[in-house]
Amino acid sequence: MAFSVSSSSTIPASGFSRSSQELKAPQFGSFKLLDRPTTFVNVSSQRRCAVKPLNAEPKRNDSIVPLAATISAPEIAEKVEVEEDYEKLAKALENGSPLEIMDKALEKFGDDIAIAFSGAEDVALIEYAKLTGRPFRVFSLDTGRLNPETYHFFDQVEKHYGIRIEYMFPDAVEVQGLVRNKGLFSFYEDGHQECCRVRKVRPLRRALKGLRAWITGQRKDQSPGTRSEIPVVQVDPVFEGLDGGAGSLIKWNPVANVDGEDVWKFLLTMDVPVNSLHSKGYISIGCEPCTRPVLPGQHEREGRWWWEDAQAKECGLHKGNLKQGDAAQLNGNGNGAAHANGTATVADIFNSENVVNLSRPGIENLSKLENRKEAWLVVLYAPWCQFCQGMEASYVELADKLAGSGVKVGKFRADGDQKEFSRQELQLGSFPTILFFPKHSSRPIKYPSEKRDVDSLMTFVNALR
């Protein structure tokens, strides 16, 4: 008896361009009997049904179940979705290497996960992905305001790894509206949040809607104020994935527990391309107008949005890092706003017997005096500010050196209810602001440099006292 076999193949659909190879899985269809009246029978690889000739005498059956219902259909394995406990997985991988975490991420999500590449040292993520031997995808946000060096770096990375980066661009109409209404550099006046929302956050949201997971280069040491508690894997608290709704997107942070210095050792060891801006003092790299090199001793995030307060320097891509209380303190322009009750949520700093803690009346009286017995050096600070925390040791050491020298050293907490007063009366721009009050002048002199080491501060004092 001769028969013919028909087959079909399926190709997975793609909503977001895919770099891994698409597989074709053949499916056997039906047998067609050629020397008998035409009869079609479904065939399963697991079970076949016997077929009787149409003129055969059916066997009597007293069951009330119709005959058609007694014919066995091919068994289809039902796919059961098992909900993953990502908090448990994060604990299990907490001490894992970046390579192990990357491998687990690519294994679990395959073509539904992609690496977010910013053009900075997170090229390490691409190197780890390559080392796993698994297919991987990379996307990046082209804001239209990146440094030329970053665009050249993108090209180097594509050629080095033999990949195509999937670029996401901001909506042209939104950018046009922002620039026409507020100019090219409005963020210097009213904060970076609005521009970042148009150029970065919304394009990212579109990209992530085509994924079930994404991989970032966040590290705990990048920003003590907002990233110190990030896990290696988590349910994304802000963005939605392919399936939509809360919990539909998983965020992987393979280098969360790695120090920045160790990331650079890895890059140099593996001899991978790096952004040439790094050799010019840039550490954290973003858009050209909002990024600058950092000075020795400064934290890497001081090179981003330097004209703003440092309480929560996130552009919105990782807004989920902000604790609820911190997020509530951000006002419309993205700068740190006051605590509702003016009270501290973190321990105070600059605690030393040689540092005088000035109250509001105390600093008002000091600023009104025209003939002081001694000169004063005063820091306007906020205890939650990571840059204030970073200069604490040098400032306390300076106070110890100046003890008994004719220069008093003080501190004034200028956030909360005192922030507006400090801006209007004490030249507060961002935290920390350092003021020198000379003996024979009522007007304080603002320290102009961002070098906050002991020698630089002592030079400033010696030049004025």
Side-chain angles (χ1 to χ4, degrees):
M1 175 174 65
F3 57 86
S4 66
V5 181
S6 63
S7 65
S8 64
S9 62
T10 59
I11 301 176
S14 172
F16 196 48
S17 61
R18 305 189 181 246
S19 60
S20 57
Q21 187 176 2
E22 295 178 339
L23 304 178
K24 295 183 178 180
Q27 290 182 324
F28 290 100
S30 57
F31 289 100
K32 183 177 182 182
L33 306 180
L34 300 182
D35 55 352
R36 294 182 181 270
T38 303
T39 306
F40 290 87
V41 182
N42 288 333
V43 178
S44 166
S45 61
Q46 296 179 349
R47 178 178 295 184
R48 291 182 175 83
C49 301
V51 180
K52 292 182 178 293
L54 295 179
N55 58 357
E57 179 71 17
K59 184 177 179 180
R60 289 184 59 85
N61 192 334
D62 295 327
S63 171
I64 61 173
V65 180
L67 181 62
T70 66
I71 301 176
S72 299
E75 292 181 354
I76 300 175
E78 210 177 287
K79 186 178 180 181
V80 179
E81 293 288 343
V82 179
E83 187 173 340
E84 181 78 65
D85 185 341
Y86 285 101
E87 286 189 12
K88 183 178 180 181
L89 182 60
K91 290 181 180 178
L93 293 173
E94 187 174 5
N95 297 318
S97 68
L99 183 62
E100 179 185 354
I101 298 166
M102 177 67 74
D103 186 69
K104 189 70 174 178
L106 296 177
E107 177 193 16
K108 286 184 72 67
F109 289 95
D111 205 34
D112 289 331
I113 190 171
I115 296 168
F117 177 48
S118 70
E121 75 274 20
D122 50 3
V123 67
L125 298 175
I126 302 178
E127 180 67 15
Y128 282 123
K130 188 200 77 170
L131 293 175
T132 67
R134 299 182 185 275
F136 62 91
R137 299 166 59 192
V138 180
F139 76 94
S140 188
L141 307 177
D142 184 352
T143 64
R145 302 298 293 271
L146 304 179
N147 294 79
E149 292 88 345
T150 299
Y151 288 112
H152 285 296
F153 181 45
F154 284 151
D155 183 62
Q156 286 181 297
V157 168
E158 287 189 327
K159 291 175 179 176
H160 182 83
Y161 291 101
I163 61 174
R164 278 287 177 263
I165 298 172
E166 303 169 37
Y167 296 103
M168 299 299 296
F169 302 92
D171 181 87
V173 175
E174 285 189 299
V175 173
Q176 178 177 285
L178 175 64
V179 173
R180 283 185 175 179
N181 291 332
K182 306 187 73 173
L184 286 167
F185 301 98
S186 60
F187 36 82
Y188 290 143
E189 299 175 2
D190 57 14
H192 71 274
Q193 295 292 333
E194 183 179 17
C195 185
C196 284
R197 186 163 54 249
V198 170
R199 294 182 180 270
K200 297 175 72 173
V201 178
R202 287 173 182 163
L204 176 67
R205 194 178 299 278
R206 293 199 310 270
L208 297 179
K209 283 295 289 183
L211 298 170
R212 287 190 169 86
W214 63 312
I215 302 168
T216 84
Q218 291 189 104
R219 303 190 319 271
K220 290 179 178 177
D221 68 341
Q222 280 175 326
S223 184
T226 64
R227 300 187 180 185
S228 61
E229 299 178 8
I230 55 172
V232 296
V233 59
Q234 62 187 138
V235 175
D236 196 299
V238 176
F239 295 101
E240 297 181 4
L242 189 62
D243 297 329
S248 60
L249 186 71
I250 306 304
K251 189 175 187 179
W252 292 77
N253 309 300
V255 293
N257 298 320
V258 182
D259 291 337
E261 185 178 344
D262 290 331
V263 171
W264 274 100
K265 288 178 181 177
F266 172 71
L267 295 177
L268 295 174
T269 299
M270 303 308 292
D271 194 27
V272 303
V274 296
N275 195 321
S276 61
L277 288 173
H278 291 303
S279 64
K280 300 175 183 178
Y282 291 79
I283 301 180
S284 178
I285 299 174
C287 293
E288 186 276 332
C290 303
T291 308
R292 67 177 182 178
V294 296
L295 298 168
Q298 283 188 309
H299 191 274
E300 63 183 82
R301 296 295 280 186
E302 286 201 67
R304 304 290 293 277
W305 309 297
W306 61 90
W307 64 93
E308 296 181 1
D309 291 344
Q311 184 173 6
K313 286 200 172 185
E314 294 287 0
C315 61
L317 304 191
H318 305 293
K319 188 177 178 181
N321 295 337
L322 301 178
K323 297 180 179 65
Q324 187 174 1
D326 294 334
Q329 293 170 36
L330 296 180
N331 61 23
N333 64 14
N335 294 328
H339 291 265
N341 55 8
T343 59
T345 57
V346 292
D348 199 14
I349 55 176
F350 303 121
N351 296 315
S352 168
E353 61 181 8
N354 292 319
V355 178
V356 179
N357 187 12
L358 294 168
S359 63
R360 168 73 174 269
I363 192 106
E364 285 181 328
N365 290 334
L366 179 62
S367 63
K368 291 175 182 177
L369 289 174
E370 294 186 2
N371 291 296
R372 305 179 185 89
K373 293 182 179 180
E374 294 178 298
W376 280 76
L377 185 73
V378 178
V379 60
L380 311 181
Y381 75 102
W384 43 258
C385 170
Q386 64 201 45
F387 308 136
C388 296
Q389 295 166 7
M391 69 166 285
E392 180 179 20
S394 60
Y395 194 73
V396 169
E397 182 181 346
L398 178 70
D400 295 340
K401 285 187 175 184
L402 290 174
S405 68
V407 177
K408 289 281 190 181
V409 178
K411 64 177 184 178
F412 175 66
R413 181 169 177 179
D415 66 338
D417 295 337
Q418 309 304 328
K419 190 170 187 179
E420 191 58 35
F421 160 75
S422 301
R423 282 177 168 169
Q424 292 182 5
E425 304 295 333
L426 300 175
Q427 308 176 52
L428 174 67
S430 62
F431 296 117
T433 291
I434 301 170
L435 301 176
F436 184 79
F437 293 83
K439 288 178 64 175
H440 304 293
S441 173
S442 61
R443 180 173 175 79
I445 301 170
K446 186 175 180 179
Y447 180 59
S449 174
E450 292 188 11
K451 293 181 179 179
R452 302 178 190 122
D453 57 282
V454 175
D455 291 339
S456 297
L457 291 171
M458 182 64 82
T459 300
F460 173 67
V461 171
N462 288 335
L464 298 175
R465 68 174 173 172

